[in-house]
Structures are given as structure tokens and as C-alpha cells.
Amino acid sequence: METLSVKFLFFDIGGVLLTNGWGHQSREEAARRFGLDYAEVKELHTFIFNVYEAHGVDLDEYLDTVVFNHPRDFTREDFKNFMYEQSQELPHMLAWLKEWRKDSGFRIIAINNEGKELNDYRVKKFKLHDVFDAFVSSCEVGIRKPDPAIFKLAMGIAMAQPQECVYFDDRKMFALAAGKLGMRAYQHTSFESTKKILEDLKKENQPKLK
């Protein structure tokens, strides 16, 4: 069987380059900050968030279900601003990757679960176009990880074979899902470990001297 060299790198965003867009810690902090019943928020979030990430509802509809189902003494804009503020750049990885990719020789594509408004904000705020050639985001394709279809779609967009692809995700379950399709998949645990893998891949792909 023909051995194919790696040409495409696929990355999750939240937990690898940025903090999670709207993780449980942010929701807990929101409950404290805005005086919400966290148990109710958790239950309603679980009910609707998958639909929001697949763009079945927009952010306002998500908030109608989870937060503004009662009269509140704060505004919708205040709450949205709090949500956006939860997105922060993680140390080292994003800045380093923006520089490393310039002469890496790889195409780099995002595969991420995110609601559209949060996704659009994060791409613009952190200049993610400087890293990624394309975005396969759940809110745009209507499929969420770990559904194998989202990884297949990403490879189809890249016109890539699984053996040409490497995937990084902070969640082991998602890395395993990609690995089952034949991609070389790694759980991102630290900047240093992922940096080493990427540097090794770059050396691996350099032309061999005759």
C-alpha cells in the first residue's frame, strides 16, 4: 500500500488555542455573577446547547431558553458581553502556531463545536484566519463532534486521505473518534508536547537528501 506523507493538520480550538467558548466553569461563574439558579441553568443548557452548536437555534433563542425564561434585573447585552469575555487566548500555543505555520508546508484546518455567534466572535477577535485555511465548525455544517461525519466532511473539503491527516483535540474522546477513521490523532495536553509533535512532523516531511 502506498505510504502517504502528512499534508493536513486539523485542530480543535477551545482547550487547544483558546479557552472554551461557553464551558461549565463559565456557566457557573455566570450563575454567581447574575444570581441565577445554576441547577436550572445546567438542566436547560443540556437540553438546548447541542441544538445551538449545530445552528438549529441562534444565541438569542438559546438565551430565551436558558436565562431569559424569567424576568431579570440585567440586560441581554450584559449577559452576552459576559459570554464573549469568557474567550481568552491560552498561553503560547496560538502565537507560536501563527509563526510556525508560515514555512511549515502544511494546510491547517479547524474542526470545532461552537455556536455561530461565539464562533464568529472568536475567529475575528483572535485573528484565527492567520492560523487556519478553513473552518469546519459545527454551527456551519450542522454536525457536531464526535459524529464521524464531521471528520469525513473535513477530509472531503481538504480532498485528503486519512493517512495524510493529523488531528489535535484536548478531549480524548474526540481524538479517538478521529483516530478510528484512520487519521493520526493526538490528545493535546500541553503546549510543549504538541509543539514537539508538530516539529517532528515538519522534520518528517522535509525532502530526504539523496
Side-chain angles (χ1 to χ4, degrees):
M1 187 173 68
E2 181 185 4
T3 301
L4 300 176
S5 61
V6 173
K7 297 178 182 176
F8 302 92
L9 305 178
F10 296 90
F11 280 83
D12 183 29
I13 296 175
V16 180
L17 305 178
L18 307 178
T19 56
N20 288 320
W22 189 233
H24 69 90
Q25 291 178 329
S26 296
R27 298 193 301 275
E28 289 174 355
E29 177 59 26
R32 287 191 290 269
R33 177 85 61 90
F34 292 96
L36 305 175
D37 179 345
Y38 179 68
E40 179 185 59
V41 167
K42 181 179 179 181
E43 180 180 359
L44 294 173
H45 168 88
T46 301
F47 171 74
I48 197 70
F49 195 62
N50 291 359
V51 181
Y52 170 54
E53 283 194 328
H55 205 32
V57 298
D58 64 17
L59 181 56
D60 281 315
E61 291 170 300
Y62 167 81
L63 292 175
D64 285 342
T65 298
V66 178
V67 178
F68 293 97
N69 48 32
H70 304 306
R72 301 298 186 186
D73 59 1
F74 52 88
T75 69
R76 187 177 295 259
E77 287 308 307
D78 286 342
F79 197 87
K80 284 183 180 180
N81 287 337
F82 174 85
M83 293 182 75
Y84 293 136
E85 288 167 2
Q86 302 313 297
S87 291
Q88 299 293 326
E89 182 177 335
L90 293 175
H92 311 305
M93 192 76 228
L94 180 58
W96 179 82
L97 192 59
K98 284 180 178 180
E99 290 301 313
W100 179 85
R101 68 148 297 155
K102 291 177 181 178
D103 65 350
S104 70
F106 297 105
R107 294 292 185 184
I108 305 181
I109 298 172
I111 306 177
N112 67 311
N113 290 348
E114 198 70 83
K116 181 165 178 57
E117 292 84 353
L118 288 171
N119 194 62
D120 290 355
Y121 170 81
R122 286 153 70 85
V123 170
K124 183 177 180 180
K125 169 72 175 178
F126 298 99
K127 297 181 172 60
L128 298 186
H129 280 107
D130 293 346
V131 177
F132 295 112
D133 297 295
F135 297 85
V136 181
S137 303
S138 62
C139 59
E140 299 294 351
V141 301
I143 314 166
R144 299 176 67 255
K145 297 181 293 186
D147 188 333
I150 196 169
F151 299 104
K152 292 177 182 178
L153 177 64
M155 287 189 284
I157 289 170
M159 296 296 289
Q161 297 299 311
Q163 303 95 313
E164 299 175 293
C165 303
V166 175
Y167 178 62
F168 296 89
D169 201 301
D170 65 308
R171 297 184 66 176
K172 186 176 182 180
M173 175 178 66
F174 294 162
L176 288 173
K180 286 179 180 178
L181 297 175
M183 302 171 77
R184 196 188 306 182
Y186 296 94
Q187 182 183 13
H188 169 83
T189 56
S190 70
F191 165 66
E192 290 298 337
S193 62
T194 296
K195 177 184 175 183
K196 183 179 187 310
I197 293 167
L198 290 170
E199 293 284 25
D200 288 346
L201 283 170
K202 188 175 179 179
K203 290 176 186 176
E204 181 183 310
N205 273 31
Q206 287 175 345
K208 303 296 189 293
L209 296 176
K210 294 183 179 180

